[in-house]
Amino acid sequence: MADATDQAFYDRADAHIELSNEQLKTCENLGEVSASMMFGATRFNAWASARNFKSGAEMADAREAMLKYFCDQYRMMLEDNLDDHINNFSQYMLVKT
């Protein structure tokens, strides 16, 4: 994940989250908004990855390595964020104790 001093990384992530929060104003289904955000991330990552290759065949040869990389990164980031929400549940969810 990005170094904690890389504020631009977090600013870009926050911009995506803000867009999803805006979408929740017209689509009350949190799962649908979450799925759209995840689909957008995968589509962008596939496009960004394709830019590194000269052909579809070359990209196909690297497919498993790309899947491993993106799945490992997603899992690491999700674990970090799940732990953060577990440890700060009352603060993030505004639960009165």
Side-chain angles (χ1 to χ4, degrees):
M1 194 169 354
D3 186 290
T5 60
D6 183 8
Q7 188 59 44
F9 172 88
Y10 295 103
D11 291 345
R12 288 187 301 271
D14 287 345
H16 291 286
I17 294 166
E18 286 175 31
L19 175 60
S20 290
N21 286 333
E22 281 296 313
Q23 291 173 348
L24 284 173
K25 292 177 181 177
T26 57
C27 176
E28 295 180 8
N29 188 322
L30 180 64
E32 288 179 5
V33 172
S34 177
S36 295
M37 183 183 215
M38 193 169 9
F39 178 80
T42 62
R43 188 173 179 114
F44 183 84
N45 287 331
W47 172 80
S49 296
R51 293 180 50 139
N52 295 312
F53 299 98
K54 294 178 181 160
S55 70
E58 183 183 1
M59 188 175 178
D61 289 342
R63 183 178 188 275
E64 289 305 313
M66 288 185 291
L67 282 170
K68 180 174 179 6
Y69 170 78
F70 284 113
C71 289
D72 288 350
Q73 289 296 302
Y74 183 85
R75 182 178 182 96
M76 179 186 68
M77 292 177 192
L78 182 58
E79 286 175 345
D80 287 347
N81 281 288
L82 286 172
D83 290 344
D84 183 43
H85 277 73
I86 289 166
N87 293 326
N88 297 289
F89 188 87
S90 295
Q91 176 186 350
Y92 292 167
M93 304 311 291
L94 302 174
V95 173
K96 306 240 190 266
T97 56

